Amino acid sequence: MAAEAVSRRLAEAVRELSGAWYGRHMAAAERAIRTRLPLVDLVVEVRDARAPASSAFQPLHRRTPLEPDGRRVVVLNKADLADPSETELLVVVQRWMAYMKKQRSCPWVAAVNSHNRESIKELLNVVRSRIREIKHGKNDCTGTVLLVGIPNVGKSAIVNAMHQIGRIGAAEKGKLKHAIVSSHPGETRDIIGYKVASHPNIYVLDTPGVLSPRFVNEDSGPRLALIGAIKDSLLEEYDIAQFLLAIVNSREEYRKWENLNQVGDNTSCGNSITSRSHNNKRQYASDHTQDFIVRTVRQMLSETISSFKGDLGEVDEFKRLISYQLVSLQEAFKVSTEPSEDMCKPVAMKLLNLYRTGRLGHYTLEHVPDVRQQVIS
Ligand SMILES: Nc1nc2c(ncn2[C@@H]2O[C@H](COP(=O)(O)OP(=O)(O)OP(=O)(O)O)[C@@H](O)[C@H]2O)c(=O)[nH]1
């Protein structure tokens, strides 16, 4: 309840923006994507594994979808940042639903980490086999794939990885292109094609991120702000950081940070989505415990939650803890500013950066039972 109150405040701030993120450029991109939808063989919809429902690409769902051909693959990217057990469960549930329905209209769902070679290879295999199916097994054909999604979900990172890993000829390797990857949303401005495979030839079109001005769900705004799909500059970073702390304080992850100084961090989750099935050392993500700042921040958060004497079920008490944590974090981050300057902003930005790069643990913001109905239909 108390955490929800913090979330509601951010939801209001997002609502007050009235879709300010949806500018002329995004509207033009949406039109261009719609024009291409009927022309391509396959659509790969990229979502954020931490918010699989809120990060759905609305333009696909508002109009007659691509089904019943089932020419859609849903990629839950940034699986390394989500709670691995929740992502795996969602993928399994979704695949079962597809199997039970025995319809090709259910999209194939894959959890991916675009920084992980094996993960991208698996995705390439799925795309390749889908294209072969659609082209009736012909190897000498050409397939086109439209990669769509909201801003900052990692479309360009995926296309770069597929382009580099895809089995294209040595001569073609010299012509490798690079899509712009950035931690800020809205960097991709044009639709650009990349060859990712031969026999059959497969071209993937990377598209600009499009986030609809209105969300289906009231709770989506804060989640989309936290995962970085909405430009931080449109909101107060401090509000987003408070929402993040509300989540951290409500989950159990901090308990693993209690004894950081004594025995080292035993929170190593690795990248269990992709690492479980492969024995490649490089697939294990760092748990960042060698990073002094990360350790200090985790420890500080753990201590402040454990030692808090107030009632965390009470909204005011819960907010008091968050305010206290944000002040304590100034020291942990070694933020020093002039007395006249606002210390909150740099602290909030640093905290968000830790979360968005997976250094503050693995949090899925939407749980499987809640999203199953709406998530991947
Ligand atoms: N941890 C992690 N970070 C990722 C992953 N994929 C992408 N990123 C990061 O997410 C940020 C956004 O990636 P982009 O590829 O630029 O996202 P995009 O969807 O093309 O963004 P737009 O240009 O806004 O449409 C970058 O900082 C990437 O490094 C992933 O699987 N895991």
Side-chain angles (χ1 to χ4, degrees):
M1 278 296 284
E4 280 160 23
V6 178
S7 162
R8 266 202 304 280
R9 198 176 127 190
L10 182 57
E12 264 166 42
V14 174
R15 206 173 31 247
E16 278 164 18
L17 289 176
S18 312
W21 55 84
Y22 189 83
R24 280 218 311 261
H25 194 272
M26 225 180 246
E30 182 172 345
R31 283 196 298 277
I33 290 169
R34 284 182 188 282
T35 313
R36 282 165 179 81
L37 277 175
L39 307 175
V40 294
D41 297 303
L42 189 71
V43 173
V44 172
E45 182 192 355
V46 184
R47 300 191 190 186
D48 190 306
R50 292 166 297 174
S54 294
S55 61
F57 185 68
Q58 292 303 329
L60 269 188
H61 303 273
R62 270 205 306 271
R63 74 202 303 262
T64 318
L66 291 171
E67 284 85 350
D69 282 326
R71 296 183 178 190
R72 183 160 60 106
V73 170
V74 173
V75 170
L76 303 176
N77 191 38
K78 306 197 184 185
D80 55 313
L81 303 183
D83 178 338
S85 56
E86 295 235 27
T87 309
E88 266 175 276
L89 184 60
L90 180 57
V91 170
V92 169
V93 165
Q94 192 64 31
R95 288 186 185 170
W96 264 107
M97 276 166 61
Y99 175 76
M100 299 298 274
K101 282 187 179 173
K102 292 195 174 21
Q103 285 173 10
R104 296 186 60 211
S105 61
C106 276
W108 183 254
V109 181
V112 161
N113 164 6
S114 70
H115 298 160
N116 180 288
R117 206 178 157 81
E118 291 307 319
S119 180
I120 292 295
K121 271 188 186 169
E122 280 174 27
L123 178 61
L124 259 173
N125 287 339
V126 170
V127 168
R128 211 179 262 128
S129 70
R130 279 277 141 138
I131 291 287
R132 280 210 183 98
E133 254 174 66
I134 291 162
K135 300 285 181 183
H136 308 290
K138 288 184 196 144
N139 251 347
D140 55 348
C141 62
T142 295
T144 48
V145 179
L146 195 65
L147 196 68
V148 296
I150 64 168
N152 214 29
V153 282
K155 298 178 294 300
S156 300
I158 290 178
V159 86
N160 276 342
M162 285 174 116
H163 184 53
Q164 277 158 33
I165 292 167
R167 254 184 260 137
I168 54 177
E172 288 165 301
K173 286 268 187 208
K175 298 180 205 154
L176 279 179
K177 296 192 276 187
H178 289 280
I180 299 168
V181 172
S182 160
S183 55
H184 303 291
E187 286 294 322
T188 308
R189 310 292 278 186
D190 301 301
I191 299 182
I192 300 175
Y194 298 80
K195 187 171 180 182
V196 302
S198 310
H199 315 296
N201 293 317
I202 301 177
Y203 291 86
V204 175
L205 299 170
D206 184 24
T207 65
V210 175
L211 184 63
S212 294
R214 271 188 302 275
F215 310 131
V216 203
N217 189 329
E218 270 286 291
D219 300 326
S220 293
R223 293 166 188 167
L224 292 167
L226 182 55
I227 63 172
I230 300 172
K231 277 194 174 82
D232 286 343
S233 55
L234 290 173
L235 292 155
E236 294 288 339
E237 281 98 347
Y238 191 70
D239 289 344
I240 312 175
Q242 283 189 319
F243 174 59
L244 168 59
L245 285 175
I247 292 166
V248 172
N249 294 341
S250 317
R251 307 274 175 93
E252 295 294 306
E253 184 102 6
Y254 75 87
R255 292 192 191 281
K256 300 176 195 163
W257 304 334
E258 271 162 12
N259 302 318
L260 277 181
N261 264 352
Q262 294 146 34
V263 290
D265 187 359
N266 58 0
T267 60
S268 178
C269 305
N271 174 14
S272 63
I273 294 298
T274 46
S275 60
R276 208 155 282 176
S277 53
H278 304 276
N279 288 324
N280 185 339
K281 277 187 204 150
R282 292 184 57 195
Q283 285 164 24
Y284 288 89
S286 160
D287 59 11
H288 306 285
T289 47
Q290 302 311 310
D291 183 330
F292 179 74
I293 298 275
V294 176
R295 282 172 72 98
T296 313
V297 168
R298 288 180 176 185
Q299 207 176 357
M300 190 238 96
L301 290 174
S302 163
E303 276 167 17
T304 48
I305 305 168
S306 317
S307 61
F308 190 70
K309 298 280 181 277
D311 179 358
L312 290 181
E314 287 291 322
V315 176
D316 288 342
E317 294 286 283
F318 194 74
K319 285 184 181 169
R320 193 160 66 82
L321 169 62
I322 291 177
S323 302
Y324 176 66
Q325 287 174 318
L326 282 163
V327 172
S328 308
L329 281 169
Q330 289 170 11
E331 199 184 317
F333 282 126
K334 301 189 191 319
V335 172
S336 59
T337 49
E338 296 297 317
S340 57
E341 285 176 327
D342 179 13
M343 279 219 195
C344 300
K345 192 180 164 92
V347 169
M349 285 169 69
K350 283 173 187 286
L351 189 67
L352 290 176
N353 181 263
L354 286 196
Y355 167 75
R356 289 173 181 163
T357 48
R359 288 176 284 175
L360 212 57
H362 302 78
Y363 300 92
T364 295
L365 309 175
E366 294 164 337
H367 305 291
V368 176
D370 306 337
V371 297
R372 205 168 62 97
Q373 299 305 320
Q374 48 173 325
V375 66
I376 297 158
S377 52

